[in-house]
Amino acid sequence: MKVISGKPESLTDKKYHYCPGCMHGVIHRLVAEVIDELGLREETVGVASVGCSVLSHNYFNLDMQEAAHGRAPAVATGIKRVLPDRTVFTYQGDGDLASIGSAEILHAAARGENITVIFVNNSCYGMTGGQMAPTTLPGQLTSTTPLGRDVKKEGYPLRMSEVLATMDATAYIARTSTHNAKHVMKTKKAILNAFKAQQQGQGFSMVEVLSTCPTNWKMKPVEALQWVENNMMKYFPLQEFKKVSGGDQ
Amino acid sequence: MKVLMKGNEVIGEAAIKAGCRYFFGYPITPQSELPEFLAKKMPEVGGVFLQAESEVAAINMVYGAAGTGARVMTSSSSPGISLKQEGISYLTAAELPCVIVNVMRGGPGLGGIQPSQSDYFQATRGGGHGDYQNIVLAPSSVQELADFTMKAFDLADYYHMPVMVLGDGAMGQMMEAVEFKEENLCSSLPEKTWATTGCSGRERNIINTLYLNPDLLEEHNKHLQQKYEQIKNNESRAETYLTQDAEIIITAFGTTARIASSAVDSARAMGIKAGMVRPMTLWPFPSSAIRETLTHCRSILDVEMNAGQMLDDVRLAVEGKAPVYFYGRTGGIVPKASEILEEIKKIGGISYESHLRQA
Ligand SMILES: Cc1ncc(C[n+]2csc(CCOP(=O)(O)OP(=O)(O)O)c2C)c(N)n1
Ligand code: SF4
């Protein structure tokens, strides 16, 4: 893997609107670097979802479509079915993917759509003010669980990677984190694996990336990174859940 | 060359003839013959048929495919069309062309599976959120199912928007001789330079619907409204039947118009000067075709398979210059020609004013 200094070509010059300490920007960059390294910028169509990354088409220097909330996997399916030789990815938050879009992600995975999903899990609805997401940890304070998520009333978080890994048609499923440099590099490697799986026509690939929302968590950026390590990673173990054999991964 | 075909299958064949190679749908009666037909046909012509997990997913697959510049279609019946409304609003906002078929059945709720026209409001008033319209074509024969479906793809591409073909369960099941007239397809549509296909050799393209700046969103809305004005001026269509000297005008669309036309014939045979205006486009609504009859027409009878929906548009067209009466059946019941004839007689025939019943 090359280490790229300077801005990847697959990112525009536009300044991020993300909050200080938010990992969306870092994850964008990793995706852009992988697309550059695979030489795919001019043959990729990305799908932005609804969440803080809704404007990611301002940052990805590629052809992009912006999907309705939760529908990115269906939109990506439509694109990929017309253009099977192009690279198609979605970039989705946890509210988008695991709540309103749970049917679309499950069925895109079940069909083995040959697309790559970048799933940013920050355990809350960032854009709308930090409400409970399906990934909110038991006891976690959010604006709609002011006393902490009570599993008796609100149930337990969804572990999407584990669910999708059980499906026959998924090719690559991994959960990684961005809480330190080492894990950022591991995340990049996983994203590379996911795009390669797509390149080789192996089927559905997804990288779930544990991320931060310091603004809604009401934490300093450094505290947020520690919170990912000390709390999120306990509930959401980092793992390569599925990697089909074959290819040069 | 004419072939004998079932309405629902005709829509599928017409789509293929129009160059549509992508279909995304979810099963629902009474339109399932259409996806079943395309499941068989699409692979034969190198196209894609995909049964989606829901109508919500299907319409969003349409969004993705339309965004690549491909001709794409989805179809459903009333409850499924309700689910597609979110996607239709987004397709409209992103100005993506596509064709949506609604083979209407009785509602509300799960309703029934018999033919109905009760989605007129939903179809002609946008249907989803936001200020928008779809072009809505209302075929009334199997031949028109073919013609209008093919035309729908051209209109969608020309105006960059969803176009709806609004049929009903009766038409979908009907067998009639049909000819697919490919020569009617437009040959000079603008190139889809906005499509997202990978930005090789050009600036990147973005398809989006979010405008956080209200000034820009207002600009976008103005642009859409200008387009709608242009469509109103250019695309409204109606067929007139025996209207020249008619004193009573029936307004009806789709299957109802077929039945109403035989009621008009019976009325004429009794010496009642009846005629019919049949809107072929429901949006834009052909108001002028109705207004033109007002020079000699004494009253209007609107007939629908619903509780009176197009009735609003007829009244708006008439502007109070003639009384407008209504006869409708709901629940999936198709009105009989004899019932319509009775209404004609009440209004202007045998006992003229004595039975006047304002709608
Ligand atoms: C149909 C619909 N319902 C609700 C919303 C409001 N909404 C916008 S973003 C969002 C949640 C986003 O959270 P997530 O996907 O976790 O992304 P994040 O902002 O945390 O990156 C919601 C509920 C919407 N835009 N559309
Ligand atoms: S609200 Fe949270 S997820 Fe959104 S940009 Fe800010 S820190 Fe990131």
Side-chain angles (χ1 to χ4, degrees):
Chain A
M1 199 183 328
K2 277 184 294 182
V3 177
I4 299 182
S5 54
K7 181 188 71 65
E9 206 191 344
S10 294
L11 283 186
T12 64
D13 293 329
K14 193 139 179 140
K15 206 170 162 303
Y16 289 139
H17 70 282
Y18 302 115
C19 308
C22 175
M23 287 294 140
H24 269 308
V26 171
I27 302 164
H28 284 8
R29 187 188 166 104
L30 298 178
V31 173
E33 285 181 3
V34 165
I35 291 172
D36 277 10
E37 283 169 30
L38 295 173
L40 295 173
R41 190 186 80 85
E42 296 196 330
E43 49 187 271
T44 295
V45 184
V47 183
S49 66
V50 179
C52 280
S53 61
V54 63
L55 293 172
S56 62
H57 51 73
N58 282 344
Y59 310 126
F60 286 119
N61 186 20
L62 320 152
D63 272 11
M64 293 284 292
Q65 293 194 19
E66 179 194 282
H69 195 22
R71 317 299 176 215
V75 171
T77 297
I79 299 170
K80 189 73 178 187
R81 292 294 178 127
V82 181
L83 304 169
D85 60 341
R86 303 296 200 286
T87 300
V88 178
F89 75 93
T90 70
Y91 187 103
Q92 302 177 254
D94 44 0
D96 191 89
L97 181 142
S99 192
I100 194 166
S102 51
E104 283 78 9
I105 194 69
L106 280 180
H107 288 273
R111 286 190 303 269
E113 291 297 337
N114 193 28
I115 59 172
T116 298
V117 172
I118 308 299
F119 168 31
V120 179
N121 178 354
N122 61 7
S123 79
C124 71
Y125 286 14
M127 190 192 206
T128 42
Q131 296 86 355
M132 182 183 72
T135 44
T136 294
L137 300 184
Q140 186 180 339
L141 298 176
T142 72
S143 57
T144 50
T145 51
L147 303 176
R149 180 175 187 159
D150 176 354
V151 293
K152 287 211 188 72
K153 281 195 297 186
E154 281 107 20
Y156 291 85
L158 266 173
R159 295 187 182 95
M160 291 305 289
S161 289
E162 284 83 339
V163 172
L164 299 193
T166 65
M167 294 184 163
D168 293 341
T170 51
Y172 183 79
I173 306 285
R175 184 185 291 118
T176 64
S177 173
T178 47
H179 66 279
N180 65 30
K182 187 179 113 209
H183 282 276
V184 168
M185 288 318 285
K186 282 191 167 177
T187 298
K188 180 171 173 185
K189 177 77 178 127
I191 293 173
L192 183 70
N193 286 341
F195 275 92
K196 278 189 177 168
Q198 179 178 172
Q199 256 189 322
Q200 289 159 13
Q202 290 174 347
F204 182 94
S205 54
M206 181 175 89
V207 182
E208 173 176 351
V209 186
L210 300 188
S211 183
T212 55
C213 184
T215 301
N216 288 304
W217 295 353
K218 301 183 176 43
M219 289 179 200
K220 298 202 178 72
V222 177
E223 289 168 0
L225 294 172
Q226 285 163 355
W227 197 81
V228 171
E229 186 172 13
N230 297 336
N231 297 282
M232 282 183 81
M233 274 166 55
K234 289 211 181 90
Y235 209 94
F236 297 111
L238 307 186
Q239 198 175 320
E240 207 165 51
F241 294 97
K242 188 150 180 195
K243 187 177 188 180
V244 299
S245 52
D248 61 356
Q249 288 180 32
Chain B
M1 196 194 65
K2 289 209 169 193
V3 284
L4 195 65
M5 279 180 83
K6 200 181 210 180
N8 280 331
E9 298 187 349
V10 165
I11 301 172
E13 185 65 27
I16 288 175
K17 289 281 187 326
C20 168
R21 292 293 177 273
Y22 303 94
F23 178 92
F24 303 96
Y26 187 85
I28 186 169
T29 308
Q31 60 84 59
S32 290
E33 293 89 352
L34 169 51
E36 283 163 8
F37 176 82
L38 288 174
K40 195 155 60 82
K41 279 285 164 134
M42 277 301 189
E44 288 172 21
V45 295
V48 171
F49 165 87
L50 198 155
Q51 180 170 320
E53 60 271 30
S54 69
E55 290 85 353
V56 175
I59 194 74
N60 283 285
M61 291 171 185
V62 166
Y63 180 102
T68 69
R71 283 198 155 178
V72 53
M73 181 167 89
T74 184
S75 73
S76 190
S77 178
S78 310
I81 297 291
S82 291
L83 275 185
K84 289 187 196 290
Q85 294 303 332
E86 175 198 61
I88 298 174
S89 172
Y90 281 74
L91 281 151
T92 299
E95 300 199 82
L96 293 177
C98 67
V99 174
I100 300 154
V101 178
N102 182 1
V103 181
M104 289 182 282
R105 60 188 246 182
L110 203 47
I113 57 170
Q114 300 302 324
S116 169
Q117 297 179 320
S118 51
D119 303 342
Y120 180 95
F121 281 153
Q122 186 195 52
T124 59
R125 268 64 179 167
H129 62 285
D131 256 333
Y132 75 94
Q133 299 286 349
N134 303 312
I135 295 176
V136 182
L137 308 179
S140 156
S141 62
V142 172
Q143 182 59 53
E144 280 188 351
L145 280 178
D147 297 345
F148 289 13
T149 301
M150 290 168 81
K151 173 91 177 161
F153 283 97
D154 280 352
L155 287 170
D157 278 351
Y158 188 79
Y159 291 108
H160 304 163
M161 64 191 283
V163 175
M164 182 173 279
V165 177
L166 194 67
D168 62 62
M171 211 176 294
Q173 302 301 323
M174 205 178 281
M175 287 274 271
E176 276 179 352
V178 62
E179 191 181 356
F180 297 92
K181 303 168 202 155
E182 277 163 86
E183 65 275 11
N184 289 351
L185 285 170
C186 184
S187 55
S188 58
L189 288 162
E191 223 190 303
K192 294 177 175 175
T193 52
W194 44 263
T196 54
T197 54
C199 62
S200 178
R202 59 160 168 76
E203 286 290 294
R204 70 204 185 94
N205 285 332
I206 296 170
I207 289 170
N208 69 317
T209 69
L210 180 68
Y211 294 79
L212 286 172
N213 175 336
D215 290 325
L216 294 181
L217 183 53
E218 183 166 59
E219 270 315 299
H220 181 50
N221 269 283
K222 280 184 183 159
H223 162 70
L224 291 177
Q225 292 303 324
Q226 273 163 12
K227 179 162 81 175
Y228 297 153
E229 278 310 307
Q230 194 192 345
I231 295 168
K232 279 189 210 164
N233 292 333
N234 297 335
E235 305 300 344
S236 69
R237 301 270 185 283
E239 183 188 62
T240 54
Y241 181 58
L242 304 178
T243 54
Q244 216 106 47
D245 61 341
E247 291 175 354
I248 298 172
I249 292 289
I250 306 222
T251 52
F253 71 96
T255 292
T256 312
R258 293 169 70 103
I259 302 159
S261 76
S262 55
V264 167
D265 291 340
S266 309
R268 285 271 171 181
M270 299 170 74
I272 305 170
K273 286 185 176 168
M276 181 170 76
V277 177
R278 172 173 75 89
M280 300 156 96
T281 55
L282 300 181
W283 194 90
F285 190 71
S287 303
S288 55
I290 294 172
R291 265 199 296 274
E292 278 158 21
T293 66
L294 293 176
T295 49
H296 42 81
C297 149
R298 296 177 49 133
S299 51
I300 291 184
L301 172 63
D302 178 58
V303 186
E304 301 180 66
M305 286 195 281
N306 59 39
Q309 299 193 15
M310 184 170 79
L311 179 60
D312 281 9
D313 286 329
V314 172
R315 281 186 177 137
L316 286 168
V318 169
E319 292 174 331
K321 292 186 179 108
V324 178
Y325 304 93
F326 174 71
Y327 182 70
R329 297 299 303 262
T330 57
I333 294 175
V334 181
K336 293 194 190 76
S338 58
E339 294 167 21
I340 301 172
L341 181 63
E342 278 313 303
E343 295 301 306
I344 296 174
K345 289 201 293 196
K346 277 187 210 161
I347 292 165
I350 309 308
S351 53
Y352 253 77
E353 323 283 323
S354 61
H355 286 82
L356 282 191
R357 188 162 64 81
Q358 195 96 30

